[in-house]
Amino acid sequence: MKLSPLIFSTLLICSPLTAFSQSAEERGLEIAQEADQRDNGFQDVIVDLKMELSNRHGQKSIRQIKTKTLEVEGDGDKAMSIFSEPRDVKGTAMLTYTHKTKSDDQWLYLPALKRIKRISSSNKSGPFMGSEFAYEDLSSQEVEKYQHKWLRDETLNGVETYVLERIPVDKKSGYRRQVIWLDKEHYRMQKMDFYDRKNSLIKTLTASGYQLYLNQFWRADELQMKNHPSGKSTLLHFSNYRFKTGLKAKDFSRNSLKRAR
Amino acid sequence: MNRWQKTGVLLLGCLTLSSAQGEWFGQVGLEQRLFFDSPQFAAQDQHNNSLYLQPQFSSPVGDNGLLDFSAFVRLDSSDENRSHADLRELLYSWSGDSIELKAGVGKVFWGVTEAVHLVDIINQTDTLESLRGDAKLGQPMLALSLERDWGLLDAYLLPGFRKRTFASEKGRLRAELPISEKARYQSSDGAQHLDYALRYATSLDEWEIALSYFNGTDRTPQFLPQFSPTGLSLIPYYAQLQQVGLELQWVQEAWLWKLEAVKRQQNQSDSHASALGFEYSWYGLFESATDLTLISEWLQDSREQSLFGNDLMAGVRLTLNDEASSQLLFLLTHDLDNGEALLTLQGSRRLGEAFTLSLEGSAFINLDKGSPLYSLRRDDVVSAALAWHF
């Protein structure tokens, strides 16, 4: 269709107007969707994760986990975590089917008993393996799980960022809200503040060492979570990223937990 | 083969495996058992301590194969039967697109409930290692699994029956009469009877369901009195069993509802048993990281000699979610017909990076003279184990 000059000029006049009239919520959602969109199509990824837990006296303990993630179209991702350290939990594996809107499904495999246990999906806010990361911090970050709002643009450590507030939709979340800094160039999370149900700042997450994989996917080498009241912190160190390895749904079945190594 | 020859075979197996590419891990532990009362029977020792070793090995074999090995050895200061060795696992698995084959010695768990494991039948229980029936002996097997959109179908051929383990005359937690090392079987094939089993499992959102069938030698023996010059003893008798099992689980937010039911046919007589219960969890108790789970199950069994004919189990699990993965589980199983009760406690935590400390306790309350547990009336026990994981 050929646009009439009238409609064309109306569009010209109106488009900046619509941009201006966009609410902070719409803008927030748009930025979150763009960030999500840029990470689409990874298919599957395997990564080795070293967790370093430190208390306020500087005492450290280590967890070694291999995680496999499968991208699922139209729903949340499927993920499997396989523990190799501490040695007493070696072989323990956790399987999660995240969903965009309904509760996630989760199973735990106990190798000594050869038993697969269903875990209640309500356990969102509990600490993962005694770390400063809650289950919900580590699960697949679907756009639909939050209400977004753009707060401001800000320069963070010399990087131009969008600052968004997101409110978890799930009432079981341990957080009232989160504030997230995304760099304008690549929409990568630089920093995130977590506010508890009483709206006080309890944790701050910072990302460092972003690397580009397969010319599309940015992943941080390190994520540090600092708990402000307790002084404890957990450092996640990621290594050996492998994208598009050909994992299939059958590699994420309940039965596959028994084969997880 | 006696147990020391078996240990030799295990060590030989270990050496063979060490040449392959793979990973060794496992644990070594020291255990001390303390009994509150003096022994009921003259031959028994008051306390005992023991050393155990559990070496494990896992290795990929080609692109789709896996080899798993696991053994268990315990040396006990007083109970010669508890000084035992068992090949828990020496299993080769091959997995294709939606098919899996397993051959060797393995362990399979079926079930959803905590107080009893009614449906679970593939492996024999190692009663010397766990009162609640969580420790199992390795079972020779050939297994085929099909995994499709409609669910998971497993078929097992089980050659070679494993007899249940029992404490010796010197050991605590034993029957009043000595139990014979020999066993009798209903089948003329004896321990060589070829058992088979099938199980179909599927899940739909918050529902999980499984149906199973077992045909073979019952893992639970009956006891026949036997007279001999040395006195009266009991001889385990293993009958043939056909069992149909149902497992059902429904998860809804912090609720987990569970059902296990079996229908058994033995010597032309039918029996049935079931366990129905729930778990409910509070996460982050009093704004701490601790989770508290309430567990309760109602147990029913139509067989007269059953320990859990009409029982109510109630328990609490505390998970501290700390760096040391501290946890504590209390279960009280109360017989609604005769008032006897069994209290068990299990706790564990990690010490540093490579050690764990675990505590277990059992108390027998209100035991009736006619009860099969009556010989355990002075066997309230607490045991502590320190293990190094490598």
Side-chain angles (χ1 to χ4, degrees):
Chain A
M1 185 187 80
K2 228 176 129 185
L3 290 176
S4 74
L6 180 66
I7 293 175
F8 191 64
S9 57
T10 317
L11 276 174
L12 268 182
I13 296 162
C14 289
S15 46
L17 274 180
T18 43
F20 275 105
S21 67
Q22 187 187 34
S23 69
E25 284 79 9
E26 282 164 351
R27 179 126 195 246
L29 179 62
E30 198 177 277
I31 294 166
Q33 280 169 340
E34 176 64 25
D36 186 59
Q37 177 64 34
R38 286 180 181 226
D39 204 46
N40 268 350
F42 68 84
Q43 295 175 6
D44 68 82
V45 58
I46 304 176
V47 65
D48 297 326
L49 167 60
K50 181 172 143 190
M51 268 187 148
E52 198 177 288
L53 281 54
S54 313
N55 65 16
R56 67 166 82 222
H57 309 295
Q59 285 164 324
K60 289 184 164 60
S61 68
I62 305 289
R63 281 107 178 80
Q64 289 278 5
I65 305 157
K66 179 154 93 177
T67 73
K68 301 177 180 183
T69 309
L70 180 74
E71 194 175 27
V72 179
E73 276 201 32
D75 200 355
D77 298 339
K78 292 180 177 180
M80 192 184 288
S81 306
I82 307 149
F83 298 87
S84 57
E85 272 178 52
R87 299 304 272 179
D88 61 292
V89 294
K90 184 179 163 54
T92 304
M94 199 167 74
L95 177 68
T96 309
Y97 292 177
T98 49
H99 300 297
K100 284 181 187 289
T101 44
K102 62 177 189 140
S103 302
D104 296 347
D105 301 320
Q106 208 161 50
W107 298 266
L108 188 68
Y109 175 62
L110 305 167
L113 302 173
K114 305 275 176 216
R115 183 171 182 181
I116 297 171
K117 278 190 120 173
R118 180 89 187 218
I119 323 177
S120 158
S121 53
S122 309
N123 186 13
K124 289 190 163 298
S125 55
F128 179 79
M129 292 292 287
S131 76
E132 298 315 309
F133 285 84
Y135 283 91
E136 62 184 308
D137 304 340
L138 292 168
S139 75
S140 169
Q141 304 286 306
E142 306 295 329
V143 174
E144 291 81 355
K145 296 201 163 192
Y146 303 91
Q147 284 172 12
H148 295 85
K149 184 181 173 183
W150 169 80
L151 296 179
R152 59 187 179 271
D153 290 353
E154 195 178 283
T155 310
L156 179 78
N157 306 323
V159 178
E160 288 294 307
T161 62
Y162 299 114
V163 188
L164 306 188
E165 178 188 72
R166 46 183 220 179
I167 296 170
V169 174
D170 194 322
K171 296 281 170 279
K172 297 274 186 327
S173 167
Y175 308 115
R176 169 121 161 219
R177 64 193 181 97
Q178 298 164 353
V179 176
I180 180 166
W181 282 257
L182 293 170
D183 70 72
K184 288 188 174 179
E185 197 181 357
H186 298 296
Y187 290 76
R188 301 168 302 191
M189 190 275 292
Q190 301 291 322
K191 175 180 160 183
M192 180 139 71
D193 279 338
F194 296 80
Y195 292 82
D196 67 10
R197 284 278 165 201
K198 283 179 255 154
N199 204 19
S200 46
L201 175 67
I202 48 160
K203 299 193 293 194
T204 299
L205 177 68
T206 45
S208 59
Y210 270 106
Q211 305 223 33
L212 185 61
Y213 296 89
L214 302 186
N215 232 352
Q216 184 190 348
F217 311 106
W218 288 98
R219 291 290 183 273
D221 279 347
E222 288 189 342
L223 292 175
Q224 180 164 49
M225 183 73 94
K226 207 166 164 38
N227 186 312
H228 300 296
S230 74
K232 293 185 190 175
S233 67
T234 298
L235 181 70
L236 304 188
H237 182 85
F238 298 91
S239 61
N240 203 8
Y241 265 109
R242 285 149 281 170
F243 283 86
K244 300 188 179 174
T245 64
L247 290 176
K248 301 204 170 59
K250 71 161 179 91
D251 299 306
F252 294 84
S253 70
R254 278 185 299 154
N255 198 44
S256 72
L257 278 167
K258 298 179 202 159
R259 294 192 295 267
R261 294 292 187 281
Chain B
M1 256 199 315
N2 70 29
R3 68 175 67 91
W4 303 115
Q5 286 169 319
K6 273 194 240 166
T7 312
V9 171
L10 290 185
L11 285 173
L12 204 69
C14 292
L15 288 170
T16 320
L17 288 171
S18 62
S19 59
Q21 54 132 203
E23 194 188 359
W24 280 100
F25 54 103
Q27 54 175 300
V28 186
L30 279 169
E31 185 208 60
Q32 173 76 56
R33 288 208 299 186
L34 299 169
F35 290 85
F36 292 93
D37 299 313
S38 56
Q40 175 67 33
F41 307 109
Q44 289 177 313
D45 286 338
Q46 171 75 35
H47 303 303
N48 63 320
N49 40 58
S50 59
L51 172 76
Y52 69 89
L53 169 68
Q54 189 171 356
Q56 286 175 268
F57 176 82
S58 177
S59 174
V61 182
D63 280 347
N64 296 308
L66 266 178
L67 181 69
D68 287 298
F69 161 82
S70 171
F72 185 87
V73 183
R74 185 187 289 279
L75 298 171
D76 191 276
S77 66
S78 66
D79 186 338
E80 56 175 17
N81 285 8
R82 211 164 172 255
S83 290
H84 66 142
D86 182 46
L87 179 64
R88 298 284 202 234
E89 203 173 4
L90 183 59
L91 195 67
Y92 170 75
S93 350
W94 178 88
S95 57
D97 242 5
S98 54
I99 192 166
E100 195 176 28
L101 271 168
K102 289 179 186 173
V105 174
K107 178 175 164 182
V108 172
F109 178 85
W110 292 351
V112 291
T113 58
E114 304 300 315
V116 286
H117 303 304
L118 293 171
V119 171
D120 193 32
I121 186 112
I122 300 287
N123 293 77
Q124 179 59 276
T125 302
D126 190 349
T127 53
L128 292 167
E129 293 300 328
S130 156
L131 267 183
R132 285 247 171 231
D134 290 323
K136 297 286 175 183
L137 299 175
Q139 170 67 46
M141 63 175 68
L142 187 66
L144 173 74
S145 304
L146 291 176
E147 194 169 24
R148 301 283 160 88
D149 293 339
W150 39 258
L152 174 70
L153 186 67
D154 297 311
Y156 300 88
L157 272 180
L158 309 164
F161 176 76
R162 304 291 313 271
K163 285 185 291 185
R164 188 165 282 198
T165 55
F166 298 103
S168 69
E169 274 198 81
K170 278 184 85 182
R172 303 287 300 249
L173 295 160
R174 70 160 167 94
E176 182 161 1
L177 294 172
I179 295 173
S180 162
E181 291 278 320
K182 295 194 187 75
R184 283 194 199 141
Y185 299 90
Q186 181 184 1
S187 163
S188 54
D189 295 336
Q192 265 59 58
H193 185 270
L194 184 64
D195 302 346
Y196 69 91
L198 294 165
R199 182 172 181 263
Y200 169 72
T202 191
S203 68
L204 191 70
D205 296 325
E206 60 269 21
W207 287 93
E208 275 167 39
I209 185 166
L211 276 170
S212 56
Y213 177 73
F214 171 85
N215 190 325
T217 310
D218 192 356
R219 272 53 180 149
T220 308
Q222 295 154 34
F223 294 100
L224 309 172
Q226 180 182 247
F227 300 94
S228 71
T230 50
L232 191 61
S233 65
L234 296 174
I235 187 156
Y237 170 75
Y238 294 96
Q240 286 295 300
L241 167 74
Q242 289 86 49
Q243 173 177 295
V244 177
L246 168 73
E247 300 154 63
L248 200 59
Q249 187 160 248
W250 184 57
V251 58
Q252 192 60 45
E253 300 293 336
W255 290 94
L256 216 56
W257 286 91
K258 307 159 166 204
L259 170 72
E260 272 189 44
V262 288
K263 191 164 170 20
R264 318 178 183 103
Q265 190 169 33
Q266 229 164 1
N267 297 327
Q268 278 82 49
S269 76
D270 285 0
S271 70
H272 53 86
S274 60
L276 172 70
F278 68 85
E279 287 189 27
Y280 180 84
S281 300
W282 285 273
Y283 298 103
L285 204 62
F286 305 121
E287 298 185 12
S288 70
T290 300
D291 299 336
L292 177 92
T293 303
L294 273 187
I295 310 169
S296 186
E297 284 165 14
W298 175 61
L299 320 171
Q300 171 283 119
D301 198 318
S302 71
R303 294 177 306 184
E304 252 177 55
Q305 75 276 22
S306 167
L307 281 180
F308 305 110
N310 179 26
D311 287 47
L312 188 68
M313 179 275 274
V316 176
R317 186 191 296 122
L318 273 175
T319 312
L320 264 55
N321 289 310
D322 55 349
E323 273 170 54
S325 303
S326 312
Q327 50 186 335
L328 197 60
L329 172 70
F330 275 103
L331 295 180
L332 179 74
T333 311
H334 182 242
D335 191 315
L336 298 172
D337 291 334
N338 65 15
E340 66 181 32
L342 169 65
L343 177 70
T344 57
L345 168 158
Q346 283 178 323
S348 68
R349 63 166 303 173
R350 188 178 305 114
L351 301 174
E353 295 286 275
F355 288 87
T356 52
L357 181 67
S358 37
L359 271 180
E360 272 190 45
S362 318
F364 305 91
I365 303 157
N366 252 344
L367 293 186
D368 190 69
K369 264 205 166 117
S371 162
L373 293 176
Y374 191 60
S375 65
L376 310 181
R377 63 195 178 277
R378 299 181 66 84
D379 284 343
D380 290 356
V381 60
V382 171
S383 70
L386 180 68
W388 175 61
H389 301 261
F390 57 88

